[in-house]
Amino acid sequence: MADSAASQAFDILILGGGSAGYACALRSAELGFSVGLIEKGKLGGTCLHNGCIPTKALLHSAEIAENAKTAAKYGVKASFESIDMPAVNAYKDGIIAGKFRGLTGLIKSKGITVIEGEGKLTGQDTVTVDGTAYTGKNIVLATGSYSRSLPGLEITGNKVITSDHALTMETLPKKALVLGGGVIGCEFASVWNSFGVDVTIIEALPSLVPNEDAAIVKQLERAFKKRKIDFSTGVRFAGVEENENGVKATLEDGKTFEADLLLVAVGRGPVTANLGFEDAGLTMDRGFVITNERLHTGVGNIYAVGDIVPGLQLAHRGFQQGIFVAEEIAGQKPVVVEDVNIPKVTYCEPEIASVGLTEAKAREKFGDDAVVTQEYNLAGNGKTSILGSAGLIKLVRQADGPIVGVHMIGGRMGEQIGEAQLIVNWEAFPEDVASLVHAHPTQNEALGEAAMALAGKPLHG
């Protein structure tokens, strides 16, 4: 995979070849810089090999399974028999392999030098890889994240697993516990439920997907109950024991759960330990690299991007930050995008898509009297009815001002996030969006109708 390093000195030297690192490398090369890209594993990082792409492939298999189960409703004679996990994995792995080939070919075509091995920051302009020192006029740290656990909770890889293990399972459990009701936990719970697994989610916070708007949370929990995905919220996890039959998990209130396995989905931690960051003088906080708003660490010409920078741990955030730093180094003064204005999608069924402030955060920022909201029930949307889905779109507006939050839940709502993030980032008023023409019949027109209602001229309300 790797090119031999003809030179050991570069304009930009990047440590980590995941979404943030390779995006920085590609944009840097386009801008005419010589680029060295250090990666100990495979280019593409977690997103391509252990995150975004494989999980969404599983979710698509789950959607196909649900379609088979409900085919008769749509006049199609079909039946659901079972899940063939080796075949599911072959499909998933084929997608990954194709994307990996494309990425490696693109990196090579741009003249980027790929350096294989585990790098360590050994100076303000130096990264050492397996005993060889490479220098960069600018250093970009993009070392990514790993699946976290809880103190005292050992990941055995057998009956106590992380999402990494879950992506390579050849057989399905009959019953599974999911520790964590955030994005990862809800996505795997959704997949396994569609595959016929009895799933229970355990979440310490008062609700599932706790960072989403309360109206969206309510809809998701209602949908999960309808799908018979059980969940226990608001009580902390105490411990788990493995036995010959599986696992027995205990909560702090004494409640116990038994299952074949426990998936630990309590978030991801930054990969920064023993990489020389502290020795180089970087400011660290709980393993994260602290930067200013322009992603500079305050030390030399060292920048940090992606999951190692505090904030949202999203591939597209890292991708944008990688591009940002390349353009920053080139003196182009790119625009800073705040985390709150970065779109988020949880690909469970129903899908959640959001960008901007929740109603609670908006009221906290602007005051109760300065916030107006509008909810549009997707039951009134023709395409949603055709798809057999349900859900809602909620808009949050600063009174007499722009839309500051868009929150959606329903089938395939992630496909609507493009317009939503433009609305929020361009500070559009409801009247601006209401005047646009949204194609019929699409789910996208529901976003337009929500804006029309918020602008005081509801069409179907």
Side-chain angles (χ1 to χ4, degrees):
M1 177 190 75
D3 302 324
S4 60
S7 171
Q8 293 175 199
F10 303 91
D11 294 326
I12 300 179
L13 184 59
I14 303 164
L15 181 56
S19 299
Y22 82 70
C24 185
L26 290 171
R27 185 65 180 125
S28 297
E30 288 176 352
L31 291 168
F33 293 113
S34 62
V35 182
L37 181 59
I38 302 166
E39 173 55 50
K40 67 177 181 179
K42 289 185 175 181
L43 291 177
T46 294
C47 177
L48 177 55
H49 300 285
N50 303 102
C52 318
I53 299 302
T55 55
K56 279 53 184 180
L58 290 183
L59 282 153
H60 185 60
S61 291
E63 181 183 6
I64 299 300
E66 292 292 348
N67 288 341
K69 294 175 186 177
T70 60
K73 176 181 177 181
Y74 304 99
V76 178
K77 291 185 177 180
S79 61
F80 174 77
E81 295 181 7
S82 63
I83 298 296
D84 181 350
M85 279 308 297
V88 169
N89 287 331
Y91 152 69
K92 164 182 63 69
D93 294 342
I95 299 295
I96 295 169
K99 295 302 178 185
F100 178 62
R101 285 193 301 271
L103 176 60
T104 54
L106 181 60
I107 291 290
K108 184 176 182 179
S109 73
K110 297 295 183 180
I112 296 165
T113 299
V114 177
I115 304 160
E116 290 185 337
E118 186 166 358
K120 182 175 181 178
L121 188 64
T122 50
Q124 291 188 8
D125 64 352
T126 306
V127 177
T128 299
V129 182
D130 299 331
T132 301
Y134 299 88
T135 61
K137 295 176 184 177
N138 300 275
I139 302 288
V140 181
L141 307 176
T143 47
S145 61
Y146 67 95
S147 295
R148 291 177 51 236
S149 184
L150 297 177
L153 177 55
E154 181 184 359
I155 305 297
T156 64
N158 182 19
K159 296 173 183 177
V160 179
I161 66 173
T162 68
S163 59
D164 292 345
H165 304 103
L167 287 170
T168 59
M169 293 171 55
E170 291 292 316
T171 59
L172 290 168
K174 291 182 179 179
K175 187 172 185 179
L177 298 176
V178 177
L179 180 57
V183 173
I184 298 172
C186 285
E187 289 187 350
F188 272 99
S190 187
V191 168
W192 284 345
N193 173 264
S194 295
F195 285 176
V197 179
D198 183 355
V199 183
T200 298
I201 302 172
I202 300 169
E203 170 56 53
L205 293 176
S207 72
L208 301 179
V209 289
N211 293 323
E212 298 293 343
D213 188 271
I216 301 302
V217 171
K218 183 177 179 181
Q219 286 279 324
L220 179 69
E221 292 186 345
R222 183 182 300 162
F224 271 19
K225 287 178 181 177
K226 186 176 181 179
R227 293 184 61 189
K228 294 182 170 52
I229 299 175
D230 293 328
F231 51 89
S232 179
T233 59
V235 181
R236 291 189 175 276
F237 179 80
V240 63
E241 297 177 1
E242 290 192 26
N243 53 57
E244 60 182 14
N245 297 319
V247 295
K248 180 178 180 181
T250 305
L251 305 188
E252 287 187 349
D253 65 357
K255 188 182 295 185
T256 61
F257 299 88
E258 295 187 7
D260 298 317
L261 61 78
L262 172 70
L263 169 65
V264 180
V266 293
R268 299 185 65 84
V271 175
T272 57
N274 304 314
L275 294 180
F277 294 177
E278 294 92 341
D279 294 339
L282 273 58
T283 302
M284 310 292 291
D285 180 16
R286 294 168 298 143
F288 291 96
V289 180
I290 304 303
T291 70
N292 63 16
E293 68 170 5
R294 307 201 71 80
L295 302 173
H296 191 272
T297 63
V299 176
N301 290 324
I302 302 176
Y303 297 82
V305 294
D307 286 358
I308 62 173
V309 178
L312 296 173
Q313 291 181 311
L314 299 170
H316 48 276
R317 173 187 182 248
F319 196 86
Q320 185 272 340
Q321 288 183 342
I323 295 170
F324 178 96
V325 164
E327 295 178 350
E328 178 77 359
I329 292 170
Q332 294 189 352
K333 299 181 180 178
V335 175
V336 174
V337 179
E338 296 182 20
D339 269 14
V340 69
N341 289 338
I342 293 175
K344 301 178 295 180
V345 182
T346 302
Y347 294 87
C348 55
E349 176 55 43
E351 275 187 4
I352 299 169
S354 64
V355 60
L357 297 170
T358 63
E359 179 180 350
K361 289 294 184 182
R363 293 189 184 282
E364 182 181 312
K365 182 175 182 178
F366 302 118
D368 284 342
D369 297 334
V371 173
V372 179
T373 67
Q374 179 67 50
E375 293 185 16
Y376 181 85
N377 192 323
L378 289 175
N381 177 258
K383 188 59 179 289
T384 300
S385 296
I386 291 168
L387 294 173
S389 185
L392 64 83
I393 293 176
K394 179 175 179 178
L395 303 182
V396 181
R397 177 186 193 177
Q398 188 178 355
D400 299 322
I403 296 171
V404 296
V406 180
H407 307 277
M408 305 178 282
I409 184 169
R412 306 181 185 178
M413 277 295 103
E415 302 303 320
Q416 310 309 317
I417 198 63
E419 181 179 356
Q421 68 102 9
L422 291 178
I423 289 170
V424 171
N425 278 280
W426 286 352
E427 300 179 342
F429 281 55
E431 294 78 8
D432 299 327
V433 182
S435 67
L436 300 175
V437 179
H438 293 79
H440 174 79
T442 64
Q443 289 187 292
N444 180 242
E445 66 182 318
L447 188 53
E449 292 221 24
M452 290 177 71
L454 191 55
K457 50 179 183 180
L459 187 62
H460 292 106

